[in-house]
C-alpha cells in the first residue's frame, strides 16, 4: 500500500516538472503565456484600458448560486487559487475563458463546456487553517478543485507559480478585474479592465485600515481602477523573465480595499504561501 501511495505522489509531482531552473520549478510548464492584445499597452496607457480574455486566460470567475461572487486564477489543469473568504459552503462553480460577466449564471447553469470557455463544478475546497483565527484578513488564501481537468487553449491557460525558489522582488503589479468600478456597486464592467499598482510600505495600509498588514500581505496603491466588489480572489501579477521567456507570475490575491474602491488595496502575498499551496495540492490530489 505504501508503494502505491508513493507512486501516486510521484505521478502527481511529475505533472509539474516541465520547467526547472536548479531546484526550482514551475507549477505548470505551460503557464504565463498569452496572446498579445490588439492595442499597444504601456505603463502609461495601461490604466483603465479594456483587455480581452486571450490576454489574461488565467482569470476565473467564482460562481455561487448562479451569481459571480469573486475572482480567482487558474494555476493548473485542475485547481483555482482564490481568497479564503471566497470559498463558500454552498455549491460552487468556476467559469474560465470567454464569458459574459453580466450573466454568469446563464452560462454556468449546465456546468457544460462552452464555445471558448469552461464552466466547471467545484468538488473540493480548502482554506488555510489559520484563516479567521487571528484577524479577519490574515491567512486569506484558498484553493478550489474542479470536478474535472480543463484543456488549455488561447482562452484558458494557467498563471505561473514558482516552487522551491522565491521569484525576483517586484514593486509594480498588473491588476485585471471584472468587479464593480464604483462605490455604489452599480457600475459592473462587461469586459476585463487593466490597472497598474505599486507596492508601498505596509505601514500605510496598517494605518489606513486600522488593522495589521504584515509580511504575509502586500499593500498596493493604484491611481485609477482599483480592487472592488467582485474582484476579491483575483490575481496581482507581473511579467518576469524565466528560462529565457517572459511569463506572467502571480504575486498577490486581492482580499480587500477601501469602500470607495479607490487608492489602496491589500492582497495576500502568494510567495509567502508557496509551501502551503504545494502541500495542499498534494493532499487534495492524493
Amino acid at each position: 500500500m505504501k508503494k502505491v501511495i508513493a507512486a501516486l505522489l510521484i505521478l502527481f509531482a511529475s505533472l509539474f516538472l516541465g520547467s526547472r531552473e536548479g531546484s526550482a520549478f514551475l507549477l505548470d510548464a505551460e503557464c504565463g503565456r498569452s496572446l498579445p492584445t490588439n492595442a499597444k499597452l504601456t505603463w502609461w496607457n495601461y490604466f483603465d484600458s479594456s483587455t480581452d480574455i486571450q490576454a489574461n486566460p488565467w482569470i476565473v470567475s467564482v460562481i455561487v448560486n448562479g451569481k459571480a461572487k469573486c475572482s480567482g486564477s487558474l494555476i493548473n489543469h485542475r485547481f483555482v487559487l482564490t481568497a479564503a473568504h471566497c470559498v463558500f459552503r454552498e455549491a460552487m462553480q468556476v467559469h474560465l475563458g470567454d464569458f459574459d460577466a453580466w450573466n454568469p449564471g446563464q452560462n454556468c447553469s449546465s456546468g457544460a463546456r462552452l464555445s471558448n470557455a469552461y464552466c466547471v463544478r467545484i468538488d473540493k475546497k480548502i482554506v488555510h487553517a489559520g484563516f479567521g483565527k487571528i484577524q479577519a484578513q490574515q491567512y486569506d488564501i484558498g484553493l478550489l478543485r474542479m470536478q474535472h481537468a480543463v484543456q488549455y487553449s488561447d482562452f484558458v491557460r494557467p498563471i505561473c507559480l514558482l516552487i522551491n525558489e522565491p521569484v525576483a522582488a517586484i514593486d509594480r503589479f498588473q491588476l485585471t478585474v471584472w468587479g464593480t468600478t464604483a462605490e455604489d456597486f452599480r457600475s459592473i464592467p462587461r469586459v476585463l479592465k487593466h490597472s497598474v499598482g505599486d507596492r508601498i510600505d505596509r505601514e500605510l495600509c496598517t494605518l489606513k485600515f486600522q488593522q495589521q498588514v504584515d509580511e504575509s500581505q502586500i499593500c498596493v496603491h493604484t491611481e485609477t481602477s482599483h480592487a472592488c466588489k467582485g474582484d476579491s480572489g483575483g490575481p496581482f501579477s507581473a511579467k518576469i523573465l524565466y528560462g529565457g521567456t517572459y511569463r506572467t507570475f502571480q504575486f498577490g490575491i486581492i482580499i480587500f480595499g477601501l469602500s470607495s474602491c479607490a487608492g489602496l488595496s491589500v492582497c495576500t502575498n502568494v510567495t509567502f504561501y508557496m509551501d502551503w499551496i504545494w502541500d495542499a495540492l498534494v493532499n487534495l490530489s492524493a
Side-chain angles (χ1 to χ4, degrees):
M1 184 63 181
K2 291 182 179 179
K3 291 183 178 179
V4 173
I5 294 174
L8 288 173
L9 292 177
I10 292 171
L11 176 61
F12 169 71
S14 69
L15 294 175
F16 309 119
L17 303 184
S19 183
R20 287 177 173 270
E21 286 195 354
S23 62
F25 62 94
L26 296 174
L27 182 64
D28 193 297
E30 299 300 315
C31 71
R33 297 189 176 102
S34 61
L35 295 182
T37 59
N38 292 328
K40 183 179 180 181
L41 300 177
T42 69
W43 292 120
W44 292 273
N45 64 14
Y46 227 44
F47 300 103
D48 286 327
S49 61
S50 297
T51 183
D52 57 72
I53 198 66
Q54 289 176 291
N56 298 274
W58 34 81
I59 298 295
V60 173
S61 183
V62 176
I63 312 297
V64 183
N65 294 329
K67 295 182 179 180
K69 292 289 189 180
C70 285
S71 299
S73 53
L74 184 68
I75 58 173
N76 67 17
H77 285 283
R78 195 82 188 272
F79 288 91
V80 169
L81 183 64
T82 189
H85 74 268
C86 290
V87 179
F88 295 83
R89 292 183 178 180
E90 295 91 337
M92 298 177 65
Q93 296 170 308
V94 290
H95 203 170
L96 310 89
D98 187 17
F99 65 94
D100 187 341
W102 289 355
N103 295 293
Q106 177 182 350
N107 288 346
C108 281
S109 58
S110 65
R113 173 80 158 88
L114 305 175
S115 57
N116 293 317
Y118 289 98
C119 193
V120 188
R121 293 183 178 90
I122 296 302
D123 67 1
K124 278 195 176 183
K125 313 165 188 176
I126 187 170
V127 299
H128 195 288
F131 179 67
K133 292 184 177 179
I134 300 177
Q135 295 185 38
Q137 301 297 343
Q138 305 300 114
Y139 304 103
D140 199 347
I141 185 170
L143 284 164
L144 304 173
R145 192 182 77 174
M146 293 177 284
Q147 195 172 45
H148 61 79
V150 296
Q151 291 183 331
Y152 297 157
S153 68
D154 291 341
F155 302 91
V156 176
R157 189 169 295 275
I159 200 166
C160 288
L161 297 178
L162 185 61
I163 309 297
N164 287 342
E165 185 175 309
V167 292
I170 297 295
D171 291 322
R172 173 159 283 192
F173 307 99
Q174 175 183 313
L175 170 64
T176 308
V177 297
W178 287 102
T180 51
T181 57
E183 186 176 3
D184 62 6
F185 302 146
R186 289 191 293 268
S187 177
I188 302 177
R190 192 163 189 164
V191 295
L192 285 168
K193 295 285 187 178
H194 276 303
S195 186
V196 171
D198 293 307
R199 185 197 300 262
I200 60 175
D201 193 325
R202 295 193 306 269
E203 287 301 316
L204 294 177
C205 278
T206 296
L207 292 172
K208 189 68 176 180
F209 296 107
Q210 292 298 295
Q211 64 182 68
Q212 183 63 42
V213 177
D214 61 20
E215 69 274 12
S216 71
Q217 299 167 319
I218 303 172
C219 180
V220 180
H221 176 263
T222 52
E223 293 290 346
T224 49
S225 289
H226 318 285
C228 204
K229 186 178 180 181
D231 297 328
S232 288
F236 271 95
S237 63
K239 283 190 175 182
I240 63 173
L241 185 64
Y242 184 86
T245 304
Y246 279 97
R247 300 178 186 238
T248 299
F249 282 75
Q250 183 166 354
F251 289 86
I253 301 169
I254 300 168
I255 52 175
F256 67 92
L258 297 172
S259 60
S260 61
C261 304
L264 294 179
S265 300
V266 175
C267 59
T268 297
N269 185 350
V270 170
T271 60
F272 185 87
Y273 288 102
M274 285 311 307
D275 288 343
W276 179 87
I277 292 171
W278 176 251
D279 290 343
L281 290 176
V282 171
N283 290 331
L284 283 175
S285 301

